[in-house]
Amino acid sequence: MSMRLRIPCPHCGIRAVEEFVYGELPDVPAALTDPIARDLDKAFMHTNAEGVVTERWFHASGCRRWCTVTRDTTDNTTNAI
């Protein structure tokens, strides 16, 4: 089974992940008050939850629209919502 991630765009069909931009909006702990530390936490501290997660992807190299998908992080299977 291939582990290559493919995103189901509702407008363009199933496409390679390289066509998309993903952005997680993490919760930064209130204890981090230094602006630089907060920026680093936002950029590098992702939740990386195991199991099914809901994500938003921007189809930058296609229709230039956002799509919402569920992805099982254990096997990278995706479904459009």
Side-chain angles (χ1 to χ4, degrees), residues 47-53 71-75:
T47 54
N48 293 323
E50 184 175 359
V52 178
V53 294
R71 180 172 64 94
D72 187 337
T73 59
T74 59
D75 62 6

Side-chain angles (χ1 to χ4, degrees), residues 28-42:
V28 177
L32 287 177
T33 56
D34 177 53
I36 294 172
R38 291 183 68 78
D39 287 345
L40 287 172
D41 194 86
K42 284 181 185 178

Side-chain angles (χ1 to χ4, degrees), residues 5-8 51-57 67-73 75-81:
L5 181 58
R6 301 193 42 91
I7 305 296
V52 178
V53 294
T54 302
E55 301 173 330
R56 297 277 292 163
W57 292 83
C67 58
T68 304
V69 299
T70 59
R71 180 172 64 94
D72 187 337
T73 59
D75 62 6
N76 274 339
T77 55
T78 56
N79 294 302
I81 294 180

